[in-house]
mmCIF file of all heavy atoms in Angstrom:
data_model
loop_
_atom_site.group_PDB
_atom_site.id
_atom_site.type_symbol
_atom_site.label_atom_id
_atom_site.label_comp_id
_atom_site.label_asym_id
_atom_site.label_seq_id
_atom_site.Cartn_x
_atom_site.Cartn_y
_atom_site.Cartn_z
ATOM 1 N N ALA A 1 -3.799 12.833 24.064
ATOM 2 C CA ALA A 1 -3.995 13.147 25.482
ATOM 3 C C ALA A 1 -5.390 13.720 25.724
ATOM 4 O O ALA A 1 -6.048 13.393 26.730
ATOM 5 C CB ALA A 1 -2.914 14.118 25.944
ATOM 6 N N VAL A 2 -5.834 14.587 24.800
ATOM 7 C CA VAL A 2 -7.175 15.168 24.941
ATOM 8 C C VAL A 2 -8.242 14.070 24.828
ATOM 9 O O VAL A 2 -9.170 13.978 25.653
ATOM 10 C CB VAL A 2 -7.391 16.278 23.901
ATOM 11 C CG1 VAL A 2 -8.830 16.779 23.958
ATOM 12 C CG2 VAL A 2 -6.414 17.415 24.128
ATOM 13 N N LEU A 3 -8.118 13.235 23.795
ATOM 14 C CA LEU A 3 -9.106 12.169 23.610
ATOM 15 C C LEU A 3 -9.071 11.169 24.768
ATOM 16 O O LEU A 3 -10.117 10.655 25.202
ATOM 17 C CB LEU A 3 -8.847 11.444 22.291
ATOM 18 C CG LEU A 3 -9.124 12.264 21.022
ATOM 19 C CD1 LEU A 3 -8.736 11.475 19.779
ATOM 20 C CD2 LEU A 3 -10.596 12.667 20.958
ATOM 21 N N ALA A 4 -7.856 10.882 25.300
ATOM 22 C CA ALA A 4 -7.760 9.954 26.435
ATOM 23 C C ALA A 4 -8.461 10.519 27.663
ATOM 24 O O ALA A 4 -9.124 9.779 28.417
ATOM 25 C CB ALA A 4 -6.296 9.664 26.740
ATOM 26 N N ALA A 5 -8.340 11.831 27.883
ATOM 27 C CA ALA A 5 -9.004 12.449 29.029
ATOM 28 C C ALA A 5 -10.524 12.385 28.881
ATOM 29 O O ALA A 5 -11.248 12.102 29.854
ATOM 30 C CB ALA A 5 -8.527 13.893 29.178
ATOM 31 N N ILE A 6 -11.014 12.641 27.629
ATOM 32 C CA ILE A 6 -12.464 12.572 27.400
ATOM 33 C C ILE A 6 -12.956 11.138 27.581
ATOM 34 O O ILE A 6 -13.992 10.866 28.222
ATOM 35 C CB ILE A 6 -12.801 13.097 26.000
ATOM 36 C CG1 ILE A 6 -12.426 14.579 25.883
ATOM 37 C CG2 ILE A 6 -14.266 12.888 25.680
ATOM 38 C CD1 ILE A 6 -12.601 15.149 24.481
ATOM 39 N N TYR A 7 -12.199 10.200 27.027
ATOM 40 C CA TYR A 7 -12.571 8.791 27.121
ATOM 41 C C TYR A 7 -12.597 8.348 28.584
ATOM 42 O O TYR A 7 -13.528 7.666 29.059
ATOM 43 C CB TYR A 7 -11.583 7.972 26.299
ATOM 44 C CG TYR A 7 -11.843 6.486 26.246
ATOM 45 C CD1 TYR A 7 -13.109 5.958 26.512
ATOM 46 C CD2 TYR A 7 -10.823 5.593 25.939
ATOM 47 C CE1 TYR A 7 -13.336 4.588 26.451
ATOM 48 C CE2 TYR A 7 -11.045 4.229 25.862
ATOM 49 C CZ TYR A 7 -12.310 3.728 26.134
ATOM 50 O OH TYR A 7 -12.552 2.378 26.082
ATOM 51 N N ALA A 8 -11.589 8.720 29.361
ATOM 52 C CA ALA A 8 -11.523 8.329 30.775
ATOM 53 C C ALA A 8 -12.697 8.899 31.563
ATOM 54 O O ALA A 8 -13.279 8.220 32.431
ATOM 55 C CB ALA A 8 -10.193 8.783 31.377
ATOM 56 N N GLU A 9 -13.045 10.154 31.262
ATOM 57 C CA GLU A 9 -14.170 10.761 31.974
ATOM 58 C C GLU A 9 -15.479 10.045 31.657
ATOM 59 O O GLU A 9 -16.312 9.805 32.553
ATOM 60 C CB GLU A 9 -14.253 12.241 31.598
ATOM 61 C CG GLU A 9 -15.328 13.011 32.330
ATOM 62 C CD GLU A 9 -15.105 13.037 33.831
ATOM 63 O OE1 GLU A 9 -13.924 12.913 34.280
ATOM 64 O OE2 GLU A 9 -16.094 13.170 34.583
ATOM 65 N N ASP A 10 -15.656 9.669 30.374
ATOM 66 C CA ASP A 10 -16.875 8.938 30.001
ATOM 67 C C ASP A 10 -16.913 7.567 30.684
ATOM 68 O O ASP A 10 -17.994 7.065 31.066
ATOM 69 C CB ASP A 10 -16.960 8.767 28.490
ATOM 70 C CG ASP A 10 -17.324 10.079 27.787
ATOM 71 O OD1 ASP A 10 -17.640 11.053 28.499
ATOM 72 O OD2 ASP A 10 -17.253 10.123 26.530
ATOM 73 N N VAL A 11 -15.775 6.911 30.815
ATOM 74 C CA VAL A 11 -15.729 5.617 31.499
ATOM 75 C C VAL A 11 -16.149 5.774 32.954
ATOM 76 O O VAL A 11 -16.911 4.963 33.509
ATOM 77 C CB VAL A 11 -14.332 4.989 31.376
ATOM 78 C CG1 VAL A 11 -14.211 3.762 32.289
ATOM 79 C CG2 VAL A 11 -14.045 4.598 29.941
ATOM 80 N N ARG A 12 -15.654 6.808 33.610
ATOM 81 C CA ARG A 12 -16.021 7.030 35.015
ATOM 82 C C ARG A 12 -17.512 7.282 35.156
ATOM 83 O O ARG A 12 -18.168 6.754 36.069
ATOM 84 C CB ARG A 12 -15.235 8.219 35.564
ATOM 85 C CG ARG A 12 -13.734 7.981 35.686
ATOM 86 C CD ARG A 12 -13.063 9.111 36.428
ATOM 87 N NE ARG A 12 -11.603 8.996 36.364
ATOM 88 C CZ ARG A 12 -10.857 9.637 35.480
ATOM 89 N NH1 ARG A 12 -11.406 10.448 34.588
ATOM 90 N NH2 ARG A 12 -9.543 9.457 35.484
ATOM 91 N N GLN A 13 -18.028 8.151 34.245
ATOM 92 C CA GLN A 13 -19.452 8.466 34.321
ATOM 93 C C GLN A 13 -20.320 7.242 34.014
ATOM 94 O O GLN A 13 -21.444 7.100 34.527
ATOM 95 C CB GLN A 13 -19.798 9.602 33.366
ATOM 96 C CG GLN A 13 -19.196 10.936 33.770
ATOM 97 C CD GLN A 13 -19.564 12.060 32.804
ATOM 98 O OE1 GLN A 13 -20.280 11.826 31.811
ATOM 99 N NE2 GLN A 13 -19.088 13.261 33.101
ATOM 100 N N ALA A 14 -19.803 6.333 33.188
ATOM 101 C CA ALA A 14 -20.580 5.126 32.856
ATOM 102 C C ALA A 14 -20.596 4.138 34.012
ATOM 103 O O ALA A 14 -21.408 3.198 34.010
ATOM 104 C CB ALA A 14 -20.017 4.477 31.612
ATOM 105 N N GLY A 15 -19.740 4.310 34.985
ATOM 106 C CA GLY A 15 -19.722 3.440 36.143
ATOM 107 C C GLY A 15 -19.340 2.020 35.824
ATOM 108 O O GLY A 15 -19.876 1.078 36.419
ATOM 109 N N ILE A 16 -18.419 1.848 34.898
ATOM 110 C CA ILE A 16 -17.982 0.503 34.522
ATOM 111 C C ILE A 16 -17.168 -0.087 35.652
ATOM 112 O O ILE A 16 -16.314 0.575 36.247
ATOM 113 C CB ILE A 16 -17.162 0.560 33.218
ATOM 114 C CG1 ILE A 16 -18.019 1.123 32.067
ATOM 115 C CG2 ILE A 16 -16.614 -0.811 32.858
ATOM 116 C CD1 ILE A 16 -17.277 1.307 30.780
ATOM 117 N N ALA A 17 -17.410 -1.328 35.914
ATOM 118 C CA ALA A 17 -16.736 -1.997 37.024
ATOM 119 C C ALA A 17 -15.242 -2.117 36.745
ATOM 120 O O ALA A 17 -14.826 -2.415 35.613
ATOM 121 C CB ALA A 17 -17.335 -3.379 37.239
ATOM 122 N N PRO A 18 -14.365 -1.881 37.737
ATOM 123 C CA PRO A 18 -12.910 -1.973 37.544
ATOM 124 C C PRO A 18 -12.450 -3.341 37.087
ATOM 125 O O PRO A 18 -11.374 -3.467 36.504
ATOM 126 C CB PRO A 18 -12.369 -1.630 38.935
ATOM 127 C CG PRO A 18 -13.442 -0.840 39.592
ATOM 128 C CD PRO A 18 -14.728 -1.396 39.077
ATOM 129 N N GLU A 19 -13.266 -4.374 37.357
ATOM 130 C CA GLU A 19 -12.844 -5.707 36.941
ATOM 131 C C GLU A 19 -12.721 -5.826 35.430
ATOM 132 O O GLU A 19 -12.024 -6.715 34.916
ATOM 133 C CB GLU A 19 -13.843 -6.760 37.436
ATOM 134 C CG GLU A 19 -13.870 -6.931 38.944
ATOM 135 C CD GLU A 19 -14.691 -5.835 39.624
ATOM 136 O OE1 GLU A 19 -15.411 -5.113 38.883
ATOM 137 O OE2 GLU A 19 -14.580 -5.663 40.856
ATOM 138 N N LYS A 20 -13.447 -4.938 34.705
ATOM 139 C CA LYS A 20 -13.391 -4.981 33.233
ATOM 140 C C LYS A 20 -12.174 -4.230 32.666
ATOM 141 O O LYS A 20 -11.929 -4.298 31.470
ATOM 142 C CB LYS A 20 -14.673 -4.393 32.647
ATOM 143 C CG LYS A 20 -15.933 -5.209 32.979
ATOM 144 C CD LYS A 20 -17.136 -4.625 32.278
ATOM 145 C CE LYS A 20 -18.394 -5.467 32.552
ATOM 146 N NZ LYS A 20 -19.580 -4.960 31.812
ATOM 147 N N PHE A 21 -11.463 -3.537 33.551
ATOM 148 C CA PHE A 21 -10.289 -2.809 33.068
ATOM 149 C C PHE A 21 -9.132 -3.768 32.822
ATOM 150 O O PHE A 21 -9.187 -4.946 33.192
ATOM 151 C CB PHE A 21 -9.868 -1.741 34.080
ATOM 152 C CG PHE A 21 -10.899 -0.655 34.295
ATOM 153 C CD1 PHE A 21 -10.862 0.157 35.420
ATOM 154 C CD2 PHE A 21 -11.903 -0.433 33.357
ATOM 155 C CE1 PHE A 21 -11.794 1.153 35.609
ATOM 156 C CE2 PHE A 21 -12.850 0.558 33.544
ATOM 157 C CZ PHE A 21 -12.791 1.353 34.688
ATOM 158 N N GLY A 22 -8.115 -3.253 32.244
ATOM 159 C CA GLY A 22 -6.941 -4.060 31.940
ATOM 160 C C GLY A 22 -5.944 -4.076 33.083
ATOM 161 O O GLY A 22 -6.296 -3.911 34.250
ATOM 162 N N VAL A 23 -4.671 -4.226 32.726
ATOM 163 C CA VAL A 23 -3.597 -4.375 33.708
ATOM 164 C C VAL A 23 -3.350 -3.048 34.426
ATOM 165 O O VAL A 23 -3.653 -1.971 33.910
ATOM 166 C CB VAL A 23 -2.302 -4.847 33.019
ATOM 167 C CG1 VAL A 23 -2.516 -6.184 32.363
ATOM 168 C CG2 VAL A 23 -1.822 -3.799 32.000
ATOM 169 N N PRO A 24 -2.782 -3.110 35.629
ATOM 170 C CA PRO A 24 -2.416 -1.863 36.321
ATOM 171 C C PRO A 24 -1.309 -1.133 35.564
ATOM 172 O O PRO A 24 -0.480 -1.740 34.882
ATOM 173 C CB PRO A 24 -1.935 -2.354 37.691
ATOM 174 C CG PRO A 24 -2.494 -3.721 37.842
ATOM 175 C CD PRO A 24 -2.561 -4.303 36.466
#
């Protein structure tokens, strides 16, 4: 859970387009 939160925050800061994400 801790690593997922850090990873998610880095993804947001990287500004990756939502189209590259997976399924809802």
Side-chain angles (χ1 to χ4, degrees):
V2 174
L3 291 176
I6 297 174
Y7 182 21
E9 183 62 26
D10 286 352
V11 170
R12 293 189 189 96
Q13 292 180 0
I16 299 176
E19 293 80 12
K20 295 184 178 183
F21 296 161
V23 299

